[in-house]
Amino acid sequence: MATYECSLQGLIVGLKEKNAVIERLVGICGNDSMIDLFQHEIAFAPTVQTPVGPARNDDVVLRLQSRISSEHEKSFKNRQWYLCMQGHPEPQRGRTVSVRPHVRVELSGDVFRFMKSLGYRYIINGEKKIL
């Protein structure tokens, strides 16, 4: 049996707006969520990128994700981090959605040092920052 994950990305500016979005999602999807809706995601891009052109497909944005389900997990060092990669969109005929492969693996240790050793730097507001 295949499992599917839906990704909704955006910026929510306040608690009232966040509660409205969660209420709408629960109304549409139900509250049998396997994954906690409160997570932190940090995007990373390759430090050296391929020039724009056909070979550009080799550059992949990676993301670190962690759930925040307690006060203890507000600290970066107390979280369980996951490395996530979304593949390229694969448009589906007869549908109004695009499907992407999604890979997620659990990490341990110093995840930020690991990302640096892979040759990645994190992105803040569209700007790449050196670790």
Side-chain angles (χ1 to χ4, degrees):
M1 180 174 133
T3 59
Y4 295 92
E5 177 177 310
C6 295
S7 176
L8 175 66
Q9 297 189 5
L11 179 65
I12 301 173
V13 295
L15 184 60
K16 180 180 173 186
E17 290 81 4
K18 180 188 88 173
N19 290 338
V21 169
I22 291 175
E23 184 178 314
R24 172 114 0 134
L25 287 173
V26 169
I28 293 170
C29 306
N31 63 359
D32 298 345
S33 173
M34 291 174 54
I35 297 175
D36 195 346
L37 292 175
F38 302 102
Q39 24 182 69
H40 185 190
E41 183 174 277
I42 303 171
F44 288 80
T47 303
V48 178
Q49 295 188 5
T50 310
V52 175
R56 186 68 184 240
N57 290 337
D58 294 341
D59 291 344
V60 177
V61 172
L62 297 176
R63 292 171 169 79
L64 287 179
Q65 292 179 342
S66 67
R67 295 184 188 130
I68 305 170
S69 55
S70 69
E71 286 293 318
H72 180 72
E73 290 176 346
K74 284 187 176 180
S75 169
F76 276 29
K77 69 177 184 172
N78 297 325
R79 295 184 191 177
Q80 175 57 62
W81 290 97
Y82 296 87
L83 180 63
C84 302
M85 188 215 58
Q86 292 178 342
H88 298 290
E90 301 168 357
Q92 302 292 307
R93 287 190 177 187
R95 291 188 183 175
T96 58
V97 299
S98 291
V99 174
R100 287 179 181 242
H102 184 88
V103 179
R104 185 173 192 236
V105 295
E106 188 174 286
L107 298 177
S108 61
D110 187 343
V111 295
F112 297 102
R113 184 182 230 175
F114 175 67
M115 295 304 291
K116 185 176 181 179
S117 71
L118 290 178
Y120 277 78
R121 57 185 170 189
Y122 66 96
I123 303 169
I124 297 178
N125 297 329
E127 296 179 30
K128 293 165 191 76
K129 303 291 183 183
I130 302 297
L131 291 174

